[in-house]
């Protein structure tokens, strides 16, 4: 048989010719792509200049070998030639370009089109990129000057041109018929109405896309974020907002570095809800007391600065229900300073305040405030200001520098500045907003940041300047002094409306074009001031993380400030980063603080979050193949115990607290009865009560009232060794020795009597880090004989051998029984700050109180120890819990 022959592809005339560029770039860029499709033998070398620079001349080694004899002189000469050629190549390569222009850009500034469009790289590299593209014959396309090449493209372009002409004629005819082209009286835009004691309608961010906002509300920066971040699904908004979840670029490690090293990160927090309350001061105070502000320190002389509006208060709101007091969620309250009046009129003076709360708890808070306001005389008014006031959060060591460079105080009449604005400008060099006094507040007006775009760097004092440090400390101490303040303009509805009528970007460009290049625009009568309120917040006392600045401003003024903030050049390099909801959770987790509502399952918002997360986790588990997903029923926990404790994909508080379930844990509601079973499940979880650390401390005294029957408390879980906890992980207490000895367990599920000591032995001692034992393989003969003798003379092994996982699981102690379950992990991951696993969990208050009574001495080595086991795994890890 004859071997088959391979015919060349060039002989097949039916094969289509590819339209992609496969020819190498030509040596002369002037000819462009004229030689495309030429024969392979006529191809010019790719980038001949670079190839010539990097080529190393070499001489064949066999030139010194002739007739089996080595010519020493020729051999040495060939080596010297190659060494000199290598040295010359290294010298030329050092001065040559080792990378292209678009590869010199930091990864966060890289664009996919930068390889073929020199306008996508920074200006300092555009000339070099343009030259490289010309040398490489890179095909570039300009969409403005591109001409259609095919018949179909020409027809589409001609049709689009005709439709544009037709639409223009229709617009002109419509204007003539309506009489809009005639001279009419111009009136100002109507001020939006804010209804009292009812919910207001959401705003439409972009009229062009109003149909996309029927079931949700866009943030002021939605179009900016939609191009740079992963957003919530269009049909699944979060809290009725389209919220950015996380940037498309990698920001996990940069978020950690920004928190503890350098840089700044900003969030558009305009979805945070604001409730306005105005009326008589006594009525407002009674409403606040009914919302849980019953501490005596809030209504005596110590809190006089807060009630006068010189500082803000951040705490937890609560409401009274049939089962007792239920927590609503964390909130911030700001009073509006009152005007100076006589004593007789001060009693009737109307006061204002803002309640800033999370959107998941807005409706519950609004209804409760409205209910409490109706029972007061005189009755205060409640306003829904969700779409009137937006906010921006920025954190990091360089956060103060960033807002100093963007927010420029608006000069008052006579060229003077507001007292708060003067103090704000003196904060240059401040690295941590948390160093300011607790509840620090600054309120003033700023000018439109687009007038000074692009933002210029701020002059900062040197770190070694002692005088600047002393002056900064004096400014910080002056913020503690009480001073007479005037009402804040952000509380004035007319001022907010004027600020929202900013000039268009086209008019600003026209004004900028009349001046010299680089000239800053000065505010005029058409540039209204933007009222803002700056809030400086700190976090836990033992935390070394940077504080956070919160900028509250009118809703329509968020976008101009956001643009300038994202383009401000930091002194440490780069620009401020932006984050999404995942970055907020990451930062809160590294600060060892609970995140609302995910870590508050005892609140109405937390219950709703948990139920939604259960659906997501079950859907992800159900979509996995049966061979790869966890089989909850066959999970081997050791000592003959089979099956997961509770529902594997949920934090099963029903099983922990003994609540009645709506359905079986292994059955999910069907489409027909989903609504009924979901309502029954919500009713079962509604009985859970969330207790704060201070409230739980009251129940620890012997004379206190009994704990609520189904209550939870939040705790921080620190893994003492290896292991990383995840969400829905089970938290056990150490088993009691007496209970194990007297337990009536079956023989198959008998736990070891020394299980408590096994777990206690795994606690690392101070200064003694456990090292992994390494067995030497190259043992000498004498050592081997000793080991063999010990094995032969030792006691005989148990027969029949014990079943697997009866004493331990691969050397790990067994997890305690179901009765030792005390809680679940709501947030768990690897903490980059500590270099180990960390978690936030919700514990049963009844079992936590038993643990505190069990170990009254806090120095006991077993005090506050627990075992954490991830759902679907049978190995636990020793940890320590601390209430937060």
């Amino acid at each position: 048989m004859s071997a088959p022959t391979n015919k060349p592809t060039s002989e097949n005339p039916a094969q289509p010719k590819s339209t992609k560029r496969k020819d190498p770039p030509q040596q002369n860029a002037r000819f462009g792509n004229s030689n495309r499709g030429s024969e392979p033998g006529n191809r010019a070398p790719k980038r001949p200049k670079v190839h010539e620079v990097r080529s190393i001349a070499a001489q064949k080694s066999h030139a010194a070998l002739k007739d089996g004899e080595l010519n020493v002189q020729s051999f040495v000469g060939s080596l010297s030639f190659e060494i000199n050629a290598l040295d010359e190549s290294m010298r030329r390569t050092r001065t040559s370009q080792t990378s292209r222009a678009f590869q010199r850009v930091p990864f966060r500034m890289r664009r996919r089109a930068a390889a073929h469009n020199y306008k996508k790289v920074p200006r300092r590299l555009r000339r070099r990129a343009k030259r490289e593209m010309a040398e490489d014959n890179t095909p570039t396309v300009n969409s403005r000057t591109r001409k259609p090449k095919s018949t179909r493209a020409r027809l589409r372009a001609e049709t689009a041109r005709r439709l544009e002409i037709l639409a223009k004629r229709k617009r002109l005819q419509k204007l003539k018929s309506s009489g809009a082209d005639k001279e009419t009286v111009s009136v100002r835009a109507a001020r939006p109405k804010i209804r009292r004691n009812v919910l207001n309608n959401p705003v439409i961010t972009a009229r062009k896309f109003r149909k996309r906002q029927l079931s949700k509300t866009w943030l002021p920066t939605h179009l900016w974020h939609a191009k740079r971040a992963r957003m919530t699904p269009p049909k699944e908004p979060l809290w009725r907002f389209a919220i950015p979840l996380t940037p498309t670029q990698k920001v996990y490690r940069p978020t950690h570095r920004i928190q503890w090293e350098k840089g700044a990160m900003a969030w558009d927090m305009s979805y945070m809800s604001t409730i306005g309350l105005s009326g008589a001061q006594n009525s407002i105070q009674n409403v606040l007391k009914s919302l849980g502000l019953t501490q005596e320190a809030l209504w005596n002389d110590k809190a006089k600065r807060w009630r006068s509006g010189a500082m803000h208060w951040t705490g937890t709101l609560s409401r009274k229900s049939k089962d007792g007091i239920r927590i609503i969620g964390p909130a911030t309250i700001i009073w509006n300073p009152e005007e100076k009046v006589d004593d007789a009129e001060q009693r009737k003076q109307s006061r204002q305040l803002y309640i800033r709360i999370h959107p998941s708890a807005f409706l519950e808070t609004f209804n409760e405030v409205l209910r409490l306001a109706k029972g007061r005389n005189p009755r205060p008014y409640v306003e829904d200001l969700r779409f009137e006031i937006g906010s921006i959060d920025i954190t990091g060591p360089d956060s103060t520098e960033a807002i100093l460079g963007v927010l420029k105080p608006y000069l008052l009449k006579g060229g003077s500045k507001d007292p708060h604005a003067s103090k704000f400008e003196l904060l240059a060099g401040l690295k941590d907003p948390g160093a300011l006094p607790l509840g620090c507040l600054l309120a003033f007006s700023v000018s439109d940041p687009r007038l000074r775009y692009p933002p210029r760097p701020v002059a900062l004092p040197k770190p070694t300047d002692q005088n600047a440090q002393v002056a900064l400390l004096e400014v910080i101490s002056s913020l503690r002094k009480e001073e007479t303040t005037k009402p804040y303009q952000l509380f004035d509805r007319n001022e907010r409306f004027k600020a929202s009528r900013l000039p268009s970007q086209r008019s600003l460009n026209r004004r900028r074009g009349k001046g010299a290049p680089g000239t800053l625009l000065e505010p005029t009568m058409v540039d209204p001031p933007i009222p803002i309120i700056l809030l400086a917040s700190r976090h836990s006392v033992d935390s070394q993380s940077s504080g956070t600045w919160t900028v509250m401003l009118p809703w329509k003024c968020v976008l101009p400030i956001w643009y300038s903030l994202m383009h401000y050049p930091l002194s440490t390099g780069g620009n401020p980063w932006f984050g999404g909801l995942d970055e907020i959770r990451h930062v809160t987790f590294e600060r060892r603080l609970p995140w609302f509502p995910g870590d508050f399952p005892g609140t109405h918002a937390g219950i709703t979050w948990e139920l939604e997360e259960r659906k997501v986790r079950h859907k992800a588990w159900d979509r996995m193949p049966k061979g790869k997903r966890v089989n909850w029923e066959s999970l081997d926990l050791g000592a003959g115990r089979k099956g997961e404790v509770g529902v594997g994909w949920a934090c099963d508080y029903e099983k922990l607290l003994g609540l009645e379930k709506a359905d079986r844990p292994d059955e999910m509601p069907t489409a027909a009865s989903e609504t009924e079973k979901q309502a029954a499940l919500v009713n079962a979880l509604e009985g859970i009560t969330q207790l704060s650390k201070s409230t739980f401390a009251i129940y620890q005294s012997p004379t206190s009232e009994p704990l609520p029957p189904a209550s939870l408390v939040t705790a921080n879980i620190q893994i003492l060794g290896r292991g990383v906890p995840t969400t829905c992980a089970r938290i056990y207490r150490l088993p009691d020795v007496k209970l194990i000895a007297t337990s009536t367990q079956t023989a198959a599920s008998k736990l070891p009597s020394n299980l408590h000591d096994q777990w206690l032995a795994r606690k690392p001692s101070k200064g003694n880090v456990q090292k992994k034992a390494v067995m030497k393989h190259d043992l000498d003969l004498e050592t081997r004989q000793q080991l063999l003798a010990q094995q032969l003379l030792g006691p005989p092994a148990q027969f029949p051998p014990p079943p697997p996982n009866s004493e331990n699981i691969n050397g790990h102690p067994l997890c305690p029984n179901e009765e030792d379950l005390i809680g679940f992990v709501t947030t768990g991951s690897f903490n980059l700050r500590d270099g180990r696993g960390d978690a936030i969990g919700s514990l049963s208050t009844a079992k936590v109180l038993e643990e505190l009574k069990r170990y009254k001495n806090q120095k006991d080595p077993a005090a506050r120890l627990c075992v954490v086991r991830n759902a679907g795994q049978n190995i636990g890890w020793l940890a320590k819990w601390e209430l937060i």
Side-chain angles (χ1 to χ4, degrees), residues 72-110:
V72 178
Q73 184 177 1
S74 177
F75 181 71
V76 173
S78 65
L79 289 180
S80 62
F81 173 79
E82 292 178 355
I83 292 174
N84 293 335
L86 177 62
D87 182 66
E88 180 66 18
S89 176
M90 293 172 61
R91 184 184 61 81
R92 289 180 299 177
T93 307
R94 191 180 300 113
T95 59
S96 179
Q97 300 173 356
T98 57
S99 61
R100 303 196 62 180
F102 68 90
Q103 295 174 333
R104 304 285 294 177
V105 184
F107 79 95
R108 62 173 297 199
M109 297 178 62
R110 292 182 184 177

Side-chain angles (χ1 to χ4, degrees), residues 245-458:
L245 299 178
T246 184
T248 53
Q249 60 185 0
K250 299 178 181 179
V251 293
Y252 187 79
R253 289 184 179 272
T255 303
H256 166 74
R257 298 190 187 102
I258 287 170
Q259 183 66 19
W260 307 99
E261 297 177 10
K262 65 176 184 178
M265 178 170 282
W267 293 270
D268 183 5
M269 302 293 292
S270 298
Y271 57 85
M272 292 293 289
S273 303
T274 305
I275 300 175
L277 185 61
S278 59
Q281 185 169 356
N282 294 335
S283 300
I284 293 178
Q285 290 184 3
N286 293 333
V287 171
L288 294 181
K289 290 179 180 179
S290 301
L291 288 174
L293 278 72
T294 57
Q295 299 88 340
E296 186 180 354
L298 294 176
W299 309 108
N300 55 18
D301 294 339
K302 293 182 180 180
K304 188 177 180 181
R305 295 188 67 245
W306 169 61
R307 296 194 303 272
S308 65
M311 58 181 295
H312 70 274
W313 174 86
T314 301
T316 304
L317 301 183
S318 61
R319 62 180 177 87
K320 294 181 181 180
S321 63
K322 298 179 181 179
D323 302 331
I325 298 178
R326 295 185 60 88
I327 290 180
I328 297 177
T332 300
I333 297 179
I334 306 170
W335 285 86
N336 186 25
E338 54 185 349
E339 299 180 357
K340 296 181 180 180
V341 293
D342 299 336
D343 296 339
E345 298 180 0
Q346 191 172 3
R347 300 175 183 176
K348 301 180 181 180
Q349 179 67 26
S350 177
R351 295 294 305 274
Q352 288 179 290
L353 63 81
Y354 282 165
I355 302 176
R356 189 169 180 264
I357 197 166
H358 197 271
S360 61
F362 164 74
L363 191 59
E364 182 182 8
T365 307
F366 186 84
N367 293 335
E368 182 66 17
V369 172
L370 187 61
R371 184 186 68 83
L372 295 173
K374 290 181 179 179
R376 305 299 171 188
N377 189 16
R379 177 180 174 180
Y381 295 101
V382 185
E383 293 180 337
D384 175 17
L385 303 176
R386 288 177 296 171
F387 312 110
E388 279 282 313
I389 298 177
S391 60
I392 296 174
D393 281 8
I394 180 169
T395 185
D398 298 333
S399 57
T400 307
E401 176 194 353
I403 61 176
L404 279 172
V406 174
L407 303 179
K408 297 300 180 181
Y410 193 88
L411 298 180
L412 304 177
K413 295 181 180 180
S416 61
K417 294 182 181 180
D418 191 272
H420 281 192
S422 302
K423 292 182 179 181
F424 171 70
E425 291 183 333
L426 297 177
L427 294 178
L430 180 67
K431 289 295 183 180
D432 184 11
L436 298 176
L438 183 64
C440 180
L441 181 148
L442 298 173
F444 53 94
S445 297
V446 298
S447 59
D448 191 348
R450 298 177 298 172
L451 302 176
R452 305 178 62 87
Y453 186 87
R456 272 70 170 177
V458 179

Side-chain angles (χ1 to χ4, degrees), residues 123 144 152 228 275 289 391 425 635 652 676 737 835:
R123 293 182 179 179
R144 295 183 179 180
R152 184 177 182 181
R228 299 166 177 87
I275 300 175
K289 290 179 180 179
S391 60
E425 291 183 333
L635 179 64
D652 201 346
E676 299 177 359
V737 181

